[in-house]
Amino acid sequence: MVQKSRKPPSAAKIEAPVAPKRRGRPRAYEPDVALGKALDLFRRDGFAATSLDDLSAATGMNRPSLYGAFGDKRELYIKSYQRYRDDARAAMVDIFRADAPLRERLERIYRIALDIYLSGESGPRGCFTVMTAASEAVSDPGIRSMVVEGLTELDKAFGICFRDAKERGELPEGADPAALAHLASATIHTIAIRARARVPRRELEAIVKGAVDVLCAAK
Amino acid sequence: MVQKSRKPPSAAKIEAPVAPKRRGRPRAYEPDVALGKALDLFRRDGFAATSLDDLSAATGMNRPSLYGAFGDKRELYIKSYQRYRDDARAAMVDIFRADAPLRERLERIYRIALDIYLSGESGPRGCFTVMTAASEAVSDPGIRSMVVEGLTELDKAFGICFRDAKERGELPEGADPAALAHLASATIHTIAIRARARVPRRELEAIVKGAVDVLCAAK
DNA sequence: ACTTTTTTGTACCATTTCGCATTTAATTCC
DNA sequence: GGAATTAAATGCGAAATGGTACAAAAAAGT
């Protein structure tokens, strides 16, 4: 379970806690949980293999409601992807920012990543960014740019990590933080892919351990 | 162009060069080129988003002929994947076996990989193993086992590479060939994914260079 | 010439797919 | 209680999909 609660934690605006007194017939669904269900489906089967009927069944919303709430299938996919990114970022940002040794930060990031990639009632689901890159990204410019953004965001987060590890003397003078960051991202990608091939967690953890050893001792 | 000629280079059996004198109406297509076209389509759009009509149009075979020659859509996908693997292996095996310094072997492997991943008339196509892992692998056990095989084959090839580099003293005593091999595979995977996001070749080459530097200097 | 064999080409079928138009239901405002 | 508003539910429809039946065609064997 990666999804965090949807309550906006902003301190301003204390009002509208539960009853904004809307005008017409009330919704029979909660948009956030419905979007979560849609994301689950898309993560398992991908865009093309997920039908609106599947989505309708999973969310409990009938097709017109789905359409009204999220737009067409592509828009729903995009919103699902944004949700995925938000959740993943929320799960990792604290660790990336933590004032902890490099090795510990890497280990924690990869543990969270494995949790995300291996979760799912009907099998591991991998990384949605990687899945989307592998499918829609070539042909859909809008989706592609989101994917690039996702890839870049991860590179940057790792980049900062290695850069300040180097500043703190945890890495040798000659170490190249950008290159190490790309290798750290690559490790994320490889475990995401292997997770979908149902490689067991123990093996993925071994790959991660080997990578962390190399990355912490590099050059 | 990765496809090699389909002539079986076995020295035995010199006969059957062009006319085996078949019995009925002759085929209007060459199975190998048709399979190549099917592979092109599957690589671009994936299994679910490629229709039999698309395949029929691309191969020039009508659906019943397609069906007769390759079986149903899934079987065609599997045969396409095998073809992809055969081609990729053929393009790399000599380099993996070459008696050359580690760095040179890695550089050559990655150059070939980029050629494969970036080729395609309608955009880069990435790695078919990665694409298949990202889509069909979770739900189809048969396809999944082929994917695992593909991933493992690459790990092993890199493993041998690093192991004998270590034996030759190109790597320090403490180096862990298996871990380095996984990182080398991870680099393959990350460039495959980024290629599909249309990251330009120069950037991918920079990522590769950084990775090779780390891998050749590790521990 | 005619049979046999293999492949092609046309046409069809049942299902699924996405999307929407229309009707019905539940709620607030007056 | 009635009008207005918002959403759910039903169901239609046109297109696409995977797959196949069946007839016509092109070759070899006799």
Side-chain angles (χ1 to χ4, degrees):
Chain A
M1 278 312 128
V2 179
Q3 289 92 316
K4 287 290 185 60
S5 98
R6 286 274 113 192
K7 295 286 162 55
S10 64
K13 293 210 171 195
I14 318 105
E15 73 232 87
V18 77
K21 233 43 167 178
R22 294 180 53 81
R23 192 78 152 62
R25 176 172 176 168
R27 289 198 186 108
Y29 57 92
E30 276 189 271
D32 285 322
V33 333
L35 190 57
K37 299 285 189 185
L39 172 58
D40 285 344
L41 269 200
F42 278 135
R43 285 191 64 189
R44 193 184 65 192
D45 298 330
F47 178 81
T50 303
S51 73
L52 286 186
D53 277 341
D54 296 336
L55 292 164
S56 178
T59 57
M61 304 164 64
N62 42 37
R63 279 208 303 284
S65 295
L66 255 181
Y67 199 83
F70 303 111
D72 68 8
K73 193 180 168 187
R74 179 175 174 276
E75 287 181 83
L76 177 52
Y77 188 84
I78 289 176
K79 291 189 170 101
S80 299
Y81 179 66
Q82 287 166 339
R83 162 67 165 272
Y84 172 80
R85 282 267 303 282
D86 290 343
D87 290 345
R89 183 172 26 238
M92 295 187 170
V93 67
D94 289 342
I95 306 174
F96 273 122
R97 289 208 181 121
D99 183 27
L102 176 62
R103 173 178 294 269
E104 189 185 319
R105 283 202 270 178
L106 293 179
E107 282 169 354
R108 289 174 62 194
I109 288 293
Y110 287 122
R111 192 178 321 132
I112 299 285
L114 285 178
D115 289 344
I116 295 174
Y117 300 162
L118 295 173
S119 69
E121 299 176 13
S122 43
R125 289 172 305 176
C127 167
F128 201 31
T129 298
V130 169
M131 284 186 62
T132 303
S135 50
E136 318 313 310
V138 248
S139 53
D140 188 315
I143 291 181
R144 175 166 65 246
S145 74
M146 295 195 316
V147 167
V148 171
E149 220 177 82
L151 296 170
T152 308
E153 187 179 345
L154 187 67
D155 290 339
K156 281 198 178 139
F158 275 127
I160 293 173
C161 238
F162 283 104
R163 216 162 300 127
D164 59 53
K166 189 178 173 188
E167 279 174 18
R168 290 195 238 171
E170 294 187 75
L171 289 171
E173 263 314 301
D176 176 351
L180 295 174
H182 282 137
L183 274 175
S185 289
T187 300
I188 286 280
H189 300 154
T190 206
I191 62 175
I193 289 160
R194 292 171 200 261
R196 276 192 75 89
R198 288 194 138 95
V199 172
R201 182 162 188 138
R202 303 195 79 85
E203 278 183 53
L204 301 180
E205 285 169 344
I207 291 174
V208 164
K209 180 174 184 320
V212 170
D213 285 346
V214 171
L215 293 174
C216 289
K219 184 70 177 271
Chain B
M1 276 311 130
V2 178
Q3 287 92 313
K4 287 289 186 58
S5 97
R6 284 275 112 192
K7 295 287 161 55
S10 62
K13 292 211 172 195
I14 318 104
E15 73 233 89
V18 79
K21 236 42 169 174
R22 296 180 51 82
R23 193 75 151 66
R25 177 171 176 167
R27 290 198 185 105
Y29 59 91
E30 276 189 273
D32 286 321
V33 333
L35 190 57
K37 298 285 189 185
L39 172 57
D40 284 344
L41 269 198
F42 278 137
R43 285 190 64 189
R44 192 184 66 192
D45 298 330
F47 178 81
T50 304
S51 72
L52 286 187
D53 277 340
D54 297 335
L55 292 163
S56 178
T59 57
M61 304 165 63
N62 43 35
R63 278 209 301 285
S65 295
L66 256 181
Y67 200 84
F70 303 112
D72 68 9
K73 193 181 169 188
R74 179 174 174 277
E75 286 181 83
L76 177 52
Y77 188 83
I78 289 175
K79 291 188 169 104
S80 299
Y81 179 65
Q82 287 165 341
R83 162 66 165 275
Y84 172 80
R85 281 267 303 281
D86 290 343
D87 290 345
R89 182 172 26 237
M92 296 189 170
V93 67
D94 290 342
I95 306 174
F96 273 122
R97 290 207 181 121
D99 184 26
L102 176 63
R103 173 178 294 269
E104 189 185 319
R105 283 202 270 179
L106 293 178
E107 281 169 354
R108 290 175 61 194
I109 288 293
Y110 287 121
R111 192 177 322 132
I112 299 285
L114 285 177
D115 288 344
I116 295 174
Y117 301 162
L118 294 174
S119 69
E121 300 176 12
S122 43
R125 289 173 304 176
C127 168
F128 200 32
T129 299
V130 169
M131 283 185 63
T132 304
S135 49
E136 317 314 309
V138 248
S139 53
D140 188 315
I143 292 181
R144 175 165 65 245
S145 74
M146 296 193 317
V147 167
V148 171
E149 222 177 80
L151 296 170
T152 308
E153 188 178 345
L154 187 66
D155 290 337
K156 281 198 178 138
F158 276 127
I160 294 173
C161 239
F162 284 104
R163 216 163 299 128
D164 60 53
K166 189 177 173 187
E167 279 174 17
R168 290 195 237 168
E170 294 187 75
L171 289 171
E173 264 312 305
D176 177 351
L180 294 174
H182 281 136
L183 273 175
S185 289
T187 300
I188 286 280
H189 300 154
T190 206
I191 63 177
I193 288 161
R194 292 171 200 261
R196 276 192 74 89
R198 288 193 138 96
V199 171
R201 181 161 189 140
R202 303 194 78 86
E203 280 183 51
L204 301 180
E205 284 169 344
I207 291 173
V208 164
K209 180 176 184 319
V212 169
D213 285 346
V214 172
L215 293 174
C216 289
K219 182 69 179 273

